[in-house]
Amino acid sequence: MSEKAKILIVDDNPNNRLAIRTILKGVDADLHEADNGFDALSMAIETEYALILLDVQMPEMDGYEVCEQLRADPGTADTPVIFLTAAYKENSDKMRGYTAGATDYLTKPLDDHVLKAKVHVFLRLYWQYQMLQENNAALRLAASVFESQQGIIITNADNIIIRANKAFTEVTGYSLEDALGKSPSLLQSGRHDKDFYRIMWSSLRNTGTWQGEIWNRRKNGEIYPEWLTITSVKDNNGDITHYIGMLTDITEYKTAEEQIRQLAFYDPLTGLPNRRLLLERLHHATDMRSRDGKLMAVMMLDLDNFKPVNDSLGHLAGDMLLQQVAKRLLERLRNVDMIARLGGDEFTVLLEVIDNADDAAYIAENIIADLRKPFYLIHEHEHEQEVYIGVSIGISLYGQHGTTPQLLMDRADTALYKAKDNGRNCFAYFSEELTIAACQRIELETRLRLAIERNEFRVFYQAKVDIATDKIIGAEALVRWQCPIDGLIAPDRFIPLTEQSGLIIPIGAWVLRETCRQGKLWLEAGLPPLQLAVNVSPVQFQRSDMLNLVTNALNETGFPAEQLELELTESCLINNDKTQLTLDILSGLGVRIAIDDFGTGYSSLAYLKHFPINTLKIDKSFVDDIPDHQNNMEIIGTIIAMGRILGFKVLAEGVETPEQLAFLKAKGCDSYQGYIKSKPVPAETFAELLLKQQSFTIKRSTS
């Protein structure tokens, strides 16, 4: 026991071996070195090592193979092995190492404190194990060992506890009466999956031992970490007679380890991740984005006017301000995002997954708005001071502005200086075009929100015409924006943005109510009953309670349900039981259901027959090609024929020429809408069309 413990350092890079030696200077152990796997195996067979620090990536024989051969040799089967790797990326790689027999993992660059702490633990366990081996040389169940300060349990070959020492009861809280006759599984915490225990038992069967860190549960329900060594005891015939489990509560070690990690990876003032942890997360995120092709953004933030606050109110007030900024940023961001403090008044935000480039701009705008609000700081004599700051933000996008962590950060930093040059308290992308486009979209969204408040939207109506009689039988309600600055704005300029921002929900609800209100007014004025169709966006359908929305609109206005038609796209119907139920109830109320833009989506008539659909609307893109493209004409003919077979009415959109109308009539299309009859017009103009039609009908009947 007087001989020093020995540690073997295995790495093909002499600089790495020197670095480890430097870190372990002062450790009470002899340090040996090997620069390849073959030498390491030879040395391990000849010399007993308390611990092997093993590089994973080495030429000729890598760390996995070295570890497997160590475990296969009875003389080295129990030697702890810590893998040192810079290549660990996936849990599968880590599981591969544990399967090969690794005891623990450390990633490069090595953290001095963590490595030293772990080496101390293993040396302490080594000496404890050596002492145990000496004390158990004659009898493994000797009382002197059994009264060790380590918790010990002994099970029979069926893994039933037959003995436990006092330290076991102190650590776990289970008395001898509680434990005897039970399986050690009564300690399981639920934190480990089946694979963990499968590997444990595989090691016990193959090597006769297992050791590692495990989370168990005390009798009072507290989950705690322990270092566990399990050894199988065999008789002279080689049959297992007992298992001995030696456990050490390592709560204090884990607490110290977490404190070391906190110091190494987190900013002590704000508690946010620091540059080191940010770079680790960025490396992982760029690897993920290279595989899945999704969009990611890096945002560099620099507080405006922080220095004057810090200089005038003092550093304590400045620290308080930074803490409040960190809190607001955390409240603004999603759990999947990351906010790090780089130092001073500089922060970095990692938006690991975003749907489009505009998302970063919206978040930047919200951050700017959040940090523009006043902060309240306590300074000298406990006086509260109201202060105002701002923030400049630079944005880079994965793929468009770089694919490596450093390049993304550098370009976000460049964009930050653009924002500062633009007057501060604003954001900028690395590319000027994205900045301009994002600003325009944000401005448009702001105007749209005001338009909702100011009731600037209008409903226009486009006639739906019976193809056989050429009479108006209904209308499609189409929203328009009556902007006081730009005049009447067509929907293609603002509808896509309303769907992205969610504004389509209040706008769509307003269009539905307004259409029902207008329809009821026309009925009260003596105009003939019409089918009025309202478009329902997929966003609105998925995120709104359409059933309540429709029933409330009908109840509030008194418009007959039978005269209301909802136009949905095929994407609203795919694989959604809730959709089926909603449409069935609406149809039961009398509301008609139409499929808009048919032919451009999934186009499965067999699928559509499961829904209570009344009408198919053939998309304008097919009608445009009449009579020039035979294929589209055949598609239209097929849709009309199949629609009739399945009991659907068929309406063609975008009819503009006599040739188109004649073809549709010949194919048996039920109805149409398009410029050949009428453009979308205001309610007053549409009423005039109805009155003219009514007058013409009366005139013909009396002549």
Side-chain angles (χ1 to χ4, degrees), residues 537-546 568-585 602 607-608 610-613:
S537 158
V539 175
Q540 182 186 10
F541 192 86
Q542 293 163 10
R543 293 168 54 183
S544 298
D545 185 346
M546 287 303 301
L568 288 74
T569 59
E570 295 164 81
S571 60
C572 292
L573 310 180
I574 302 305
N575 299 326
N576 195 327
D577 293 337
K578 182 181 177 182
T579 299
Q580 174 88 54
L581 178 61
T582 300
L583 294 184
D584 285 343
I585 296 174
Y602 297 91
Y607 181 79
L608 295 180
H610 297 293
F611 294 91
I613 292 166

Side-chain angles (χ1 to χ4, degrees), residues 413-465:
D413 199 47
T414 300
L416 171 62
Y417 282 97
K418 288 184 182 178
K420 287 179 175 293
D421 290 341
N422 291 339
R424 299 176 180 264
N425 214 29
C426 63
F427 71 86
Y429 285 89
F430 178 73
S431 56
E432 191 67 24
E433 311 85 65
L434 278 175
T435 303
I436 294 171
C439 289
Q440 289 175 343
R441 278 187 283 272
I442 289 172
E443 180 191 5
L444 180 58
E445 182 179 341
T446 302
R447 291 172 59 195
L448 281 168
R449 292 183 186 278
L450 288 173
I452 295 173
E453 295 175 8
R454 296 169 179 172
N455 197 27
E456 293 176 1
F457 292 101
R458 303 289 181 266
V459 177
F460 278 36
Y461 299 86
Q462 185 173 34
K464 292 185 176 183
V465 186

